[in-house]
Amino acid sequence: MTARDGGVGSAVLTTLAARVDAGMPALVADLESLVRIPSVSSLPHHHPDVERSATEVARLLTAEGLDVVVVRAEEGLPSVIGHRPAPPGAPTVLLYAHHDVQPTGDPDGWTGAPFEPVERDGRLYGRGAADDKAGLAVHLAAIRALGPDLPVGVTVLVEGEEEIGSPTLPALLAEHRDRLAADVVVIADALNWEVGTPALTVSLRGLVEVIVEVATLEHPLHSGAFGGVVPDALAVLVRVLAGLHDDTGAVAVPGLVGRSAPSPVEYDEQQLRADAGLLPGVGLTGAGSVTDRLWHQPSVTVTGIDCPRVAEAPNALAATARAKISVRLAPGDDPDRALRALTEHLHATAPHGAHVRVVPGIRAHPFAADPTSPAHRLALDAFGAAWPESTPVAIGVGGTIPLVHLLSSVFPHAAVLVTGVEDPDTRAHGYDESLHLGDFRNACLAEALLLQTLGSPNPTD
């Protein structure tokens, strides 16, 4: 067998491709139904929608003959576990996705209604259309294509708290460890290198979030009566936030880990500017190759500031001000160590003796896989068969998936594969999130091929 046929014969490839294509209309309809459910885990008024989404996920998995339970831990939001046992002697594969989604932000920023899916120019638009309800749809497609001939056991875990940092996932994994045990894990929650070029993600950055609060006064003061002598908290906070980066825009927090590593691909700067929507004349930040900066070095982002709105601002010195800071950690760093480094830096850079309080939030470990493992080779072979005009690549991703480290810790002998349903045009977490339907179809076929190959005798020979 060749890499191009994904370790299966051409007849099997042809059969599975035909089944995936025949099932695509129903699959897209199921995905659209999921997108219509505003399952925003970070907003309490949408928690009933997260419950409703879990119910729909359970229905879809039950329809494919899986034994399904809706579970939660520590009064968290619901996740769904579905299981079909392995044939004698065959491995079990854990298929992961999440059904919760990000908030939409200002609805006026969207071309259409965020939770009303619409297809335009070969892409499906809507919040969660890619991140990550498409991941569940890929798993459904593979299970449907293989049908009763599914040669491996499958356990499907569809989480309901990924977008809020998976706070109860460790407890859920501990409680359901036996139910979730697997030989191979497929996490369909990353992105491909570009439209038409599939990728296997072999590294992810970690995450530390904090809220920093600065206080200088017991109460606001008249800016004319006291301005020029008394420091106001908002100006102090601005100084503190400016100290997170040097003049090049590189991270200036001592103690955060960064490194340089060879990459099989390089991100062309002009392509990056186009993908990011960078305005003319705006320069890039940091130093080193683009992929190093995105994958192997830390980043610090100020994601929000609490201060008076311009239209409502009194002419006064602010007594307190606060901001939310998100730090992406390079592979090899540790969240607890990074939190200490960030906290010390925030205290050290506050001028005028201002009082600083740092409240920790989400913490998640980075991840690095062995891209030469047999399971990774099989996945790249399946990609090559599903995208016959492209050469699959192994890449890093600057984002964070807390589950990867957790599963690697709980099941240290399982091979963890992070696959993609997104692309640089997806705009996950932003306005007009979308899914490229051509690559979506190919991802469905690739996963069906991978499951077929993992269930074959001596699949890693």
Side-chain angles (χ1 to χ4, degrees), residues 217 219-231 315-317:
L217 297 164
H219 50 75
L221 293 174
H222 190 292
S223 63
F226 293 95
V229 177
V230 175
N315 205 345
L317 305 177

Side-chain angles (χ1 to χ4, degrees), residues 32 35-40 46 101-102 104 113-117 126-127:
E32 290 176 347
V35 171
R36 291 188 180 98
I37 302 174
S39 50
V40 182
H46 277 302
V101 299
Q102 283 280 319
T104 62
F115 294 109
E116 184 51 49
R127 175 60 88 224

